[in-house]
Amino acid sequence: MERETLEVDLLIVGAGPSGLACALRLTQLNTAAGNPLNLENVVVMEKGREAGAHMLSGAVCDPRALRELIPDFATEATGVFDTPVEHDAVYFFTEGGQWKTPIVPPPFHNHGNYIVSLNKLVKWLAGKVEESGITIFTETSGMEVLLEDDRVVGVRTGDKGVNKEGHPEENYQPGADIRAKLTVFAEGPRGSLAKQLITKNHLDAGRNPQTYAIGVKELWEVPEGRMPAGHVIHAAGWPLDTTMYGGAWIYGMQNRLVSLGLVMGLDYANPLFDPHNAFQRWKTHPFVRKILDGGKMVKYGAKTIAEGGYFSMPRLVTDGAMIVGESGGFLNSQRLKGIHLSMKSGMLAAETAFEALRKDDTSANTLDAYPRAFEASWAKDELWRVRNFHQGFEHGMFAGMIHAGLQEFSGGRGLHARYPSVAGHRRMKKLSQLNGEQPVKVVADGKLTFDKVTDVYHSAAKHTEDQPPHLRIADTDICNNRCITEFGNPCQYFCPAAVYEMEERAGNLEIKLNPSNCVHCKTCDIMDPYEIITWVCPEGGGGPNYENL
């Protein structure tokens, strides 16, 4: 098959905070040095229909990195930073009540931060990148890392116009090979290409396995006065039990909008636990119900979060490539913040890329200036102080709180210099180990609580229906014959978009996929106990449209 080949100097995969910060910082360095690089040879590749379409976060943004990159960001980005945090509160929920902590723990001090829509922030950054002369290729899926003797030489993009059976249609267009002197992977958590590269080049050797959480979010429009703009609430406790890691948020935004969601560690034990159901149940708490009563849900989304911390970060460079943002584990799980760290990683990578391209040397030895710069930066200082945080909750909430206190006192160390960790899916129990434990299920009322299909509608997820499934199951016999008895097919529960269901066929239950529902959270790629599900990019442009999320 003949494929078009595009030769570039720098390819950035992913138009999120880290990728765009990388591109923008590169243009600044190039301008200051008298334009030694031709920015026409720099390309940003984005799988969404536009920059920001797949961007989802809470989000309270720490502006530290942004202030370094764009000092006048608050005045330049009209409508993005119009909600500074004015008030913080932390609650612990029981099933029927709550109590407010007398003081706000230091990690939840948010004065100086902004409540933002990550979708809007990324759109604004993308506009500045394009103004600088760098091209952003939207609706372009990355399918394969191009390697030559373990050196990254670019990315192969996905074919378009292929039907479910894998046959070309009349509108068939083969993907292109974008060959680059240097490739920066900025795909966010569980990046599909970064996963390929980390595995093939063993970039995670000697590291803790990355661990994840899933955040399930809705955006509501509520009656005047329910949740003042600038008010930030974080909550722990119900409906999560004390063995689970997680918490909730409620953020007041402009125009009577409220961002709310529940974050749950993807290392829970019960295979029947359903994160979407837990979030719907959480909304029935009297405290939350009082805020939402009489309001209207307007948007929905779900996203995984890389929470393993410093010791889970892969090696960030290899010959011809660097990894930035949440693909590299740049997230503070204690503060539940990663935008500023992702941006800083992109900026540091840009400084290394600029010098490497000027020297025409993109070997791992030269690119190693990037992780060295990280180690000398405030980003390393912040991540080092929480290096063992998530792992401290391995034995539940109460033990975790003790570990967190010891870590705070000891600068992040705690009882051990490096806490051990295992991949979250390995903690899942088999049905025979549950002793009859059954999660409480919520019946959606269509006003306060919603089923998965209704929420998916509000994510504006859209895929070309007649295309090969982008959720690849290596062996469906395991799903139909083994998993059904051992784990009860947890994919039908942990997926927040009703992609997986068990359908009766000829008297037997068999796995059925609904790929068009997918909101690209990648939970299935993370939590499948048999590791036989692989998430790959669908045809470019497919997926959710997280407007204002």
Side-chain angles (χ1 to χ4, degrees), residues 8 13 38 53 81 95 103 105 107 123-124 128 169 197 205 276 278 296 313 361 421 432 456 458 466 483 489 515 536:
V8 300
V13 184
N38 181 0
F81 295 95
E95 185 168 0
I103 60 171
K123 280 185 179 181
W124 173 68
K128 296 191 74 67
E169 299 284 353
L197 179 61
H276 178 272
K296 180 177 71 171
M313 299 175 73
D361 179 2
S421 178
S432 59
V456 168
H458 285 91
D466 189 24
C483 187
N489 300 111
V536 300

Side-chain angles (χ1 to χ4, degrees), residues 4 22 34 62 166 443 464:
E4 180 183 352
C22 181
D62 180 338
V443 177
T464 301

Side-chain angles (χ1 to χ4, degrees), residues 55-319:
M55 292 295 106
L56 175 70
S57 184
V60 172
C61 177
D62 180 338
R64 184 171 186 178
L66 192 56
R67 188 172 286 115
E68 291 180 5
L69 185 65
I70 308 169
D72 296 329
F73 71 91
T75 55
E76 285 192 36
T78 305
V80 177
F81 295 95
D82 58 355
T83 312
V85 175
E86 303 287 351
H87 176 77
D88 282 307
V90 176
Y91 288 82
F92 185 86
F93 281 9
T94 60
E95 185 168 0
Q98 70 283 331
W99 57 270
K100 184 178 180 181
T101 60
I103 60 171
V104 175
F108 295 101
H109 289 176
N110 284 295
H111 285 274
N113 298 333
Y114 294 83
I115 302 171
V116 300
S117 155
L118 186 56
N119 166 270
K120 287 184 177 181
L121 171 58
V122 165
K123 280 185 179 181
W124 173 68
L125 286 172
K128 296 191 74 67
V129 167
E130 291 180 317
E131 288 171 7
S132 73
I134 290 178
T135 300
I136 300 177
F137 290 158
T138 57
E139 300 190 4
T140 306
S141 297
M143 298 304 292
E144 181 182 350
V145 179
L146 299 177
L147 291 164
E148 293 179 358
D149 297 324
D150 294 331
R151 178 185 179 85
V152 177
V153 295
V155 166
R156 175 164 293 170
T157 68
D159 298 344
K160 295 186 177 183
V162 178
N163 66 21
K164 288 181 179 179
E165 285 71 40
H167 303 307
E169 299 284 353
E170 291 183 2
N171 62 338
Y172 174 69
Q173 181 181 342
D177 286 348
I178 305 180
R179 297 181 62 88
K181 295 178 181 177
L182 177 59
T183 304
V184 175
F185 293 93
E187 301 173 280
R190 197 70 166 191
S192 54
L193 295 180
K195 178 186 170 185
Q196 286 182 28
L197 179 61
I198 290 168
T199 300
K200 288 181 178 178
N201 284 14
H202 309 289
L203 301 183
D204 55 353
R207 270 61 170 178
N208 283 350
Q210 185 59 267
T211 53
Y212 297 86
I214 181 172
V216 183
K217 173 181 178 178
E218 290 175 354
L219 187 69
W220 279 66
E221 186 179 280
V222 300
E224 192 70 46
R226 290 287 177 81
M227 186 70 182
H231 279 227
V232 166
I233 293 174
H234 289 101
W238 188 89
L240 306 183
D241 64 40
T242 57
T243 67
M244 296 183 65
Y245 180 89
W249 80 85
I250 308 173
Y251 301 154
M253 305 175 73
Q254 299 292 333
N255 302 316
R256 299 185 290 111
L257 292 177
V258 172
S259 162
L260 70 159
L262 186 63
V263 174
M264 295 143 281
L266 289 176
D267 49 9
Y268 55 80
N270 192 329
L272 307 180
F273 177 76
D274 187 322
H276 178 272
N277 178 76
F279 171 57
Q280 300 304 318
R281 190 177 177 214
W282 174 77
K283 288 189 298 174
T284 68
H285 190 279
F287 184 91
V288 184
R289 183 192 293 269
K290 185 176 179 181
I291 294 172
L292 301 181
D293 188 37
K296 180 177 71 171
M297 190 266 287
V298 292
K299 293 294 290 185
Y300 167 79
K303 197 75 171 178
T304 47
I305 304 164
E307 291 199 330
Y310 180 82
F311 292 124
S312 294
M313 299 175 73
R315 176 167 166 74
L316 298 173
V317 300
T318 189
D319 287 330

Side-chain angles (χ1 to χ4, degrees), residues 221-487:
E221 186 179 280
V222 300
E224 192 70 46
R226 290 287 177 81
M227 186 70 182
H231 279 227
V232 166
I233 293 174
H234 289 101
W238 188 89
L240 306 183
D241 64 40
T242 57
T243 67
M244 296 183 65
Y245 180 89
W249 80 85
I250 308 173
Y251 301 154
M253 305 175 73
Q254 299 292 333
N255 302 316
R256 299 185 290 111
L257 292 177
V258 172
S259 162
L260 70 159
L262 186 63
V263 174
M264 295 143 281
L266 289 176
D267 49 9
Y268 55 80
N270 192 329
L272 307 180
F273 177 76
D274 187 322
H276 178 272
N277 178 76
F279 171 57
Q280 300 304 318
R281 190 177 177 214
W282 174 77
K283 288 189 298 174
T284 68
H285 190 279
F287 184 91
V288 184
R289 183 192 293 269
K290 185 176 179 181
I291 294 172
L292 301 181
D293 188 37
K296 180 177 71 171
M297 190 266 287
V298 292
K299 293 294 290 185
Y300 167 79
K303 197 75 171 178
T304 47
I305 304 164
E307 291 199 330
Y310 180 82
F311 292 124
S312 294
M313 299 175 73
R315 176 167 166 74
L316 298 173
V317 300
T318 189
D319 287 330
M322 296 187 283
I323 301 174
V324 299
E326 270 197 82
S327 289
F330 284 88
L331 183 128
N332 183 329
S333 62
Q334 184 190 61
R335 299 177 67 201
L336 260 184
K337 287 181 176 58
I339 296 172
H340 65 300
L341 292 165
S342 287
M343 292 187 68
K344 182 62 175 178
S345 72
M347 293 156 64
L348 293 172
E351 292 164 8
T352 295
F354 180 68
E355 295 300 331
L357 291 172
R358 289 183 71 178
K359 295 176 184 177
D360 197 24
D361 179 2
T362 57
S363 65
N365 186 56
T366 295
L367 299 180
D368 210 44
Y370 161 48
R372 290 199 303 270
F374 160 61
E375 291 289 332
S377 72
W378 58 257
K380 156 65 185 302
D381 293 341
E382 179 174 334
L383 288 173
W384 184 249
R385 288 195 297 271
V386 296
R387 59 192 180 275
N388 290 315
F389 184 76
H390 186 99
Q391 291 81 357
F393 285 79
E394 177 181 358
H395 299 293
M397 182 179 67
F398 296 121
M401 291 173 69
I402 294 172
H403 282 293
L406 292 171
Q407 291 168 15
E408 187 75 20
F409 179 76
S410 60
R413 184 187 189 278
L415 291 178
H416 312 287
R418 176 173 170 175
Y419 281 53
S421 178
V422 299
H425 70 275
R426 290 180 55 193
R427 300 192 185 280
M428 189 177 288
K429 292 181 179 179
K430 293 184 178 180
L431 295 175
S432 59
Q433 300 172 294
L434 291 185
N435 299 318
E437 303 163 40
Q438 292 285 340
V440 177
K441 295 184 179 180
V442 172
V443 177
D445 63 15
K447 295 180 180 179
L448 176 66
T449 57
F450 306 93
D451 59 30
K452 290 181 181 180
V453 174
T454 301
D455 262 339
V456 168
Y457 171 80
H458 285 91
S459 75
K462 184 178 180 181
H463 297 82
T464 301
E465 293 283 349
D466 189 24
Q467 65 172 301
H470 65 280
L471 306 144
R472 299 179 179 174
I473 302 177
D475 186 351
T476 56
D477 282 344
I478 291 178
C479 305
N480 300 336
N481 302 311
R482 183 177 168 190
C483 187
I484 195 169
T485 58
E486 291 185 338
F487 292 99

